[in-house]
Amino acid sequence: MSTVSTRPPEGRYGRSSDARADRTLKVVGGVLGVLLLALVGYFGYHYVGQNKISAEVIEFDAGEDAVHVHLEVRKDADATGYCTVRSQSESGAEVGRADFRFDGDETRIDKVVTLRTTARGTTAELLGCHAG
């Protein structure tokens, strides 16, 4: 007895639809992978490469009409820029906001700045730093 094959002879009718679909999926997956890698690289460059000044609030001391904020600033030696700090009252209303400029050749600056407020501030929040 011989066994009858249900598959067509190899190469006689061209590629199967599964092989074409597999090849298309590989090409689409490769293109999407390259685009994703380019997007991650773009955002990484702008986050790390363009961020020449950054800071963090170490501590703060709130008074009746001012908040003393201890900032630690890190920047490139040739960079200049400013950091924006704000304070809010207990109710959440903003009672003070100011920009503090940082120049010089130092790459790490510890500085206590005074933020004047219109009422008693209960917070000191660093909104961000910008080069320029």
Side-chain angles (χ1 to χ4, degrees), residues 1 10-11 25 29 35 37 39 46 50-52 63 80 82 87:
M1 285 199 204
E10 289 293 321
L25 284 175
L35 288 175
L37 187 62
L39 187 66
H46 281 285
Q50 300 295 323
N51 199 8
K52 296 182 182 224
T80 61
Y82 63 94
S87 181

Side-chain angles (χ1 to χ4, degrees), residues 94-112:
E94 185 175 286
V95 294
R97 178 188 292 237
D99 294 332
F100 298 100
R101 189 148 202 70
F102 297 98
D103 301 328
D105 292 335
E106 298 122 356
T107 58
R108 185 178 171 275
I109 302 168
D110 271 332
K111 188 173 183 180
V112 176

Side-chain angles (χ1 to χ4, degrees), residues 2 7 130:
S2 66
R7 290 184 358 194
H130 306 279

Side-chain angles (χ1 to χ4, degrees), residues 15 19-35:
R15 287 185 179 179
R20 269 185 249 120
D22 286 347
R23 185 171 193 286
T24 302
L25 284 175
K26 286 179 185 177
V27 169
V28 169
V31 168
L32 289 176
V34 168
L35 288 175

